[in-house]
Amino acid sequence: MAAENTSLFPYQKCLMVALSDKETQLQLRDITNYVIIPAQILVIFVSLVCNAFVVITVAHTQSLRQHPPQLMLSSLAITDVIFALNALYGVILVLAHEHKCPNNTTNPLIAGVSIQATLGNMAIISIDRYLAVRKLWWYRAHMTKSRALKMIGLPWVATVVVASLLYLESLSDGPFPFGKIIAFLFYFLCIFCTIFSHIFLFCNKTPPRGSY
């Protein structure tokens, strides 16, 4: 009987073993193959096109290259491009697999780098928006392209450091998870800066017009 099931369903190992009903398993597999995967490809394609368009537009427009918020936006778009390419790689592995269920579909290191860089860039953008609104005159006088590039470089450098620590930790069997602790602190700092920048931005009273 088991041999017969194996011949009928050569991708038996790809089905959800938690479900006893094989018909339900096959229906879920069909939904995955004909609905979820095409929708995932569509989202990846839209993400790649839109974010690549942002990066190319900023890179080829001199006025935008001199505008700090646009530089930060293009940096955030680059993180989305990296994440989308990693997701596309996973979809290609799924489609190329004999039964469309490979064990590993994404590179965890690249996925971690893109997530960390995204959080870091969101924190930098949030701080930049807070300074632009709450400290307008200081922002106009001091926020130059050079300062913006330095701010953009901070999350990327931190991302490389955290990703390197996590990778080195994965190669060793050390008892102290130093890399994970640093990564947690980095995540916490980015989320803290993002949330509280917006809270301080919207909760503080707006100064009256004409009072400079």
Side-chain angles (χ1 to χ4, degrees):
M1 191 68 174
E4 182 181 355
N5 289 338
T6 303
S7 62
L8 288 176
F9 307 109
Y11 45 82
Q12 187 74 29
K13 64 178 182 178
C14 302
L15 301 178
M16 298 178 63
V17 295
L19 296 177
S20 58
D21 186 6
K22 292 180 180 179
E23 183 177 354
T24 303
Q25 292 178 342
L26 294 176
Q27 289 176 352
L28 291 176
R29 179 177 172 83
D30 290 338
I31 292 175
T32 300
N33 292 338
Y34 300 113
V35 178
I36 296 179
I37 292 180
Q40 186 177 3
I41 294 175
L42 177 61
V43 172
I44 292 173
F45 176 77
V46 172
S47 178
L48 282 174
V49 171
C50 293
N51 287 287
F53 178 76
V54 171
V55 175
I56 294 173
T57 301
V58 173
H60 285 77
T61 307
Q62 184 176 2
S63 60
L64 295 179
R65 291 200 305 269
Q66 305 300 322
H67 200 221
Q70 300 303 326
L71 292 174
M72 296 179 184
L73 180 62
S74 63
S75 178
L76 180 62
I78 291 174
T79 66
D80 292 336
V81 169
I82 295 174
F83 188 86
L85 289 175
N86 191 40
L88 179 61
Y89 172 74
V91 172
I92 292 175
L93 288 182
V94 171
L95 296 178
H97 192 266
E98 181 182 5
H99 305 311
K100 294 186 175 58
C101 60
N103 294 329
N104 298 316
T105 58
T106 57
N107 188 313
L109 180 61
I110 297 178
V113 167
S114 62
I115 293 174
Q116 293 161 17
T118 298
L119 289 175
N121 279 276
M122 289 179 62
I124 293 299
I125 291 175
S126 300
I127 295 173
D128 176 76
R129 292 300 84 206
Y130 172 80
L131 294 175
V133 174
R134 305 305 306 178
K135 301 180 181 296
L136 176 61
W137 301 113
W138 180 94
Y139 186 87
R140 290 181 176 179
H142 296 87
M143 185 54 70
T144 60
K145 178 182 177 181
S146 175
R147 185 184 291 268
L149 291 176
K150 292 177 182 178
M151 291 180 63
I152 291 172
L154 286 176
W156 286 104
V157 172
T159 295
V160 172
V161 172
V162 172
S164 300
L165 291 175
L166 290 175
Y167 178 72
L168 293 176
E169 186 177 278
S170 66
L171 298 178
S172 63
D173 298 327
F176 188 70
F178 182 74
K180 292 184 176 62
I181 294 176
I182 297 298
F184 173 79
L185 293 176
F186 177 74
Y187 293 150
F188 176 79
L189 180 62
C190 292
I191 295 174
F192 177 85
C193 292
T194 301
I195 293 177
F196 280 90
S197 292
H198 287 87
I199 291 177
F200 293 151
L201 178 63
F202 293 109
C203 290
N204 290 347
K205 294 182 178 181
T206 303
R209 295 181 180 179
S211 59
Y212 303 109

